[in-house]
Structure formats: structure tokens, C-alpha cells
Amino acid sequence: MAEHCSPTFAELTHELGFSCEEAGGLVEFRNPFALENWTLPVLELTIVVGAVLALWYAIVRLRRHGDPTNLVLWFGATAYLFVIEPPLYFPAAFGIEDHVDTMFAHNVFTVDFLWGRLPIYIIAIYPLMATMAFCIVRMLGIFRRYGTLIGATCVGFVHHAFYEIFDHLGPQLRWWEWSIDNPLNQPMFDSVPMGSVVVFAALWPMSLAFCVQYFVGRHVDEGRHFSGVELTWRTIVIGLLASVGTFLLPLPATVIGMSSTTVRGIVYGLELAVLVVVAAIVMVRQWRELRQGTATPPQYEDRFVQRFATLYLVVFAALWIASLPDFFAAVNGETTNGDPIGNLWYTAACFAVAIASVVATFTIPRRQAGPDATVSAASTVAS
């Protein structure tokens, strides 16, 4: 699709080692052993398998126990993906090339869609990450106790931790390449744009979680059942409104930082700091009170998320360890191959938050009897 190979995209793909003019068709398959390096198929396999298992588990919960929340979350995240991503890949086709130049290019993986623009793992990572973050917060009983907005804030916090572990590693391992000359990617936080650190890692999952809980989750918690038609239109609305939320939540940084990337970065940082402080206080307080028996034990348990989130952290710890020799040999923020490195200390903090979040779900009491116990038992059977 050479007519859509903008100069910026062509340059990025050249740096990644392939030609956008030769990337073919709506779908393309490649030998996983012939990719840029061994980490690409490992990443792809981990994310795609996780997303498929998350979908299977969501279907099981709906069919066996009448809880559609996970399924709506999965498809809501996917709907959001197809609203947000295509204009970023083909700005000219959407008539926005004068305002939005190419921001990044993915490397080619085993399975790619849209002329090398959309690897299958990107389709999978949206619902997988959203499922892990949302269900961890739900397992801690935060939605029920603190409401939809605070619960969604905590989802953004947990998602941010899991996502930044991935986000700060990708450029070094050539999973993708950012266009650092694009003003929309400024300011940069080492190898990652602040927009990615704040908007895509924290604010969009917060927006999605708010919509899922508002339109479906809180009603399910109250015992309501939805028809197939109701779930379909609610899922579509969730995907659309989550996209609107992603525009509205970072608006302070967008407006205030119009004349200065430094100011934009500061406002982004302040927005993230508020989210982190609120979520950390709520999650620590809830965990402590659950442990002390002064809070009502949650009625929701998700063995899949507990196990797969643990696997995710193990896999990414291994990928980070494998990348450390080149990381420490980097000069002026670039490896000997010319690839930018992320921030190791920030990633370590994100690992700590992600690990603590998963451990918290294993160390709280569960409701064993009463009318709500079936929900907990349901997840145990399905897992």
C-alpha cells in the first residue's frame, strides 16, 4: 500500500529493518524464527495467548454464572482499539494528515494486519491489559466500596504499572519506533513519549473501566441480568465513550501545554501524580482493612487473572534481564545498535506496584457463605 507510505512512516520502517512499501495486504504471515530478534515472538505469544484465555474465561463466566462484565470489558477494549488506532496508522486516509503526522511504527511480527501497521499482539494487548487491571481492582472490592470513579482511577493506576513495564522496553528491543520529531510525541520520558506514559498507560484504561462499571459492572453487582441485545449496544457505547474520555481526561495538558512541551510534560506529570496518590491510598487502605477484618470481604475472585498476571510479570522480568547488558552498555541513551533505552528505575517502581497488586489479591479473605458466595465460587469453578 505504497500510496499510504508517508515519508515519516517509511523512515521509521527503514530503521526497524523493513519497507512499508513491501508490507503486504490486509493480513500477512511470517516465520516467527525470522523476525528481528527472539523477543518479538516471545512477546507476541505471551500477549496473544493471554488475550485468548481472557476471552475464554469471560465467556465461561457469562454462560455459567450470568456475569457479562469480563466479556463486555474485553470487547469494549477491542472496540476502543479500532476507534483509536486506524487514524494513527493512516492519517491521510482519514483526512487528518495536516494535523497528525505518523507518531510511531510497529515492527513486523508473525501475524500483521493493515499493510504492516497492526501486529496481532497489539489487538490482543488492549483487552488483556484491561482485563488484568480491572479484575485486580474488582477482586479487592474497590468498586463496591468506593464507587465507579475511584474504582476506575485504581484501574488506571494498576494498568499504568503493567503497561509501563512493556512501554519502556519496546523501543530498545525494536518492537516499535517512535517518531521523536513529531511534536505530539513531546516531551519524551527517555524512550517513551509522556503522552504514552500518561494517556495510553493510565487515562484510557481509567476511562474504559469507568464506562464498563457504569454501564454493566455495577448492575451485575446488584444482581441484574442483561439480554444479548442490551450487552451488544452497551459494549459499543462503552468503546465509543471510552474514546471520548481519552480525549477529555488529558485535556488540561493538551490545552495548557499548547505553547510549550515543557509545560505539557509538567501538567501530564501532575495529572498522573493525582491519579497515583488517590489510587495508592485507596488500594493500600482497602487491603489493610480487608486483612484486619474491618472491611467486607470481596465477593469476586478471578483465578485466571491472578495466574496470568503472575506469568506476565515473570516473562517481562526475563525480557528485561536479557536486555540489561545492552542497556548498561548504552551511551547517551542509545545502545550500540542505535536503539533508545527506557527508564530502568521507573520500570522497577512499576514492577513493584504490579507485583504488590497481584500479591494483594492472594492475601485477602474471601466471602465463603451467604447469597453472594456464588460469584466467588463461580470464578473458582471456571478457573
Side-chain angles (χ1 to χ4, degrees):
M1 203 172 187
E3 66 271 22
H4 289 298
C5 277
S6 67
T8 303
F9 188 77
E11 180 181 351
L12 293 175
T13 58
H14 176 74
E15 293 175 0
L16 288 170
F18 72 99
S19 169
C20 70
E21 295 183 358
E22 297 175 0
L26 287 173
V27 60
E28 187 172 9
F29 300 92
R30 294 178 179 81
N31 181 353
F33 299 103
L35 301 180
E36 177 71 26
N37 59 65
W38 65 269
T39 68
L40 276 72
V42 170
L43 169 71
E44 186 176 40
L45 180 64
T46 301
I47 301 302
V48 172
V49 168
V52 170
L53 290 176
L55 177 59
W56 169 82
Y57 182 79
I59 294 171
V60 168
R61 285 193 62 83
L62 174 61
R63 294 183 63 181
R64 292 185 182 177
H65 312 292
D67 180 4
T69 309
N70 287 32
L71 192 63
V72 170
L73 176 70
W74 201 99
F75 280 106
T78 306
Y80 172 89
L81 156 73
F82 286 109
V83 171
I84 293 295
E85 293 275 340
L88 299 180
Y89 299 145
F90 304 107
F94 286 85
I96 59 174
E97 70 276 15
D98 293 335
H99 308 285
V100 179
D101 191 13
T102 299
M103 297 178 65
F104 57 85
H106 295 292
N107 210 330
V108 288
F109 284 76
T110 306
V111 183
D112 282 306
F113 299 96
L114 301 180
W115 293 269
R117 267 68 168 186
L118 182 60
I120 191 172
Y121 94 90
I122 289 295
I123 298 176
I125 202 167
Y126 276 78
L128 175 61
M129 289 278 198
T131 296
M132 290 194 298
F134 187 95
C135 293
I136 285 173
V137 173
R138 193 180 182 196
M139 277 188 279
L140 293 174
I142 291 172
F143 281 112
R144 272 186 171 270
R145 183 175 183 188
Y146 291 95
T148 300
L149 179 59
I150 296 299
T153 303
C154 292
V155 171
F157 174 60
V158 175
H159 187 284
H160 176 83
F162 278 91
Y163 191 85
E164 286 309 290
I165 292 169
F166 152 84
D167 209 16
H168 278 266
L169 184 59
Q172 179 183 337
L173 297 180
R174 297 196 175 185
W175 297 344
W176 64 83
E177 183 92 10
W178 290 104
S179 173
I180 59 175
D181 294 328
N182 189 323
L184 295 178
N185 285 338
Q186 296 296 327
M188 298 287 290
F189 177 27
D190 290 333
S191 66
V192 186
M194 279 296 293
S196 180
V197 172
V198 179
V199 180
F200 282 98
L203 298 185
W204 95 256
M206 176 182 172
S207 178
L208 176 71
F210 180 88
C211 293
V212 170
Q213 185 65 13
Y214 183 83
F215 284 101
V216 176
R218 65 193 180 104
H219 302 294
V220 171
D221 290 341
E222 295 169 356
R224 179 176 173 180
H225 295 277
F226 293 95
S227 68
V229 173
E230 285 181 303
L231 290 177
T232 299
W233 75 256
R234 285 172 185 266
T235 301
I236 294 172
V237 168
I238 286 167
L240 294 174
L241 289 184
S243 305
V244 174
T246 305
F247 168 77
L248 294 176
L249 289 174
L251 205 56
T254 304
V255 174
I256 298 173
M258 289 182 65
S259 59
S260 170
T261 57
T262 301
V263 172
R264 185 190 308 157
I266 292 172
V267 179
Y268 269 142
L270 291 174
E271 286 194 72
L272 181 60
V274 171
L275 181 146
V276 168
V277 169
V278 171
I281 291 174
V282 168
M283 292 183 70
V284 170
R285 177 183 296 171
Q286 177 73 349
W287 178 78
R288 284 179 176 173
E289 293 183 2
L290 287 170
R291 294 278 293 171
Q292 294 166 358
T294 56
T296 303
Q299 62 182 35
Y300 174 80
E301 189 173 7
D302 194 322
R303 296 290 190 187
F304 162 73
V305 164
Q306 288 177 311
R307 293 165 181 169
F308 196 85
T310 302
L311 176 64
Y312 172 95
L313 292 171
V314 170
V315 170
F316 273 85
L319 291 170
W320 263 101
I321 290 170
S323 73
L324 287 180
D326 288 337
F327 180 95
F328 288 121
V331 177
N332 295 325
E334 291 188 353
T335 67
T336 55
N337 292 324
D339 300 313
I341 59 173
N343 189 293
L344 183 60
W345 293 111
Y346 195 80
T347 302
C350 289
F351 262 113
V353 170
I355 292 169
S357 299
V358 175
V359 170
T361 67
F362 284 103
T363 57
I364 56 175
R366 294 290 167 189
R367 185 176 298 180
Q368 298 298 327
D372 292 331
T374 53
V375 180
S376 179
S379 61
T380 303
V381 172
S383 64

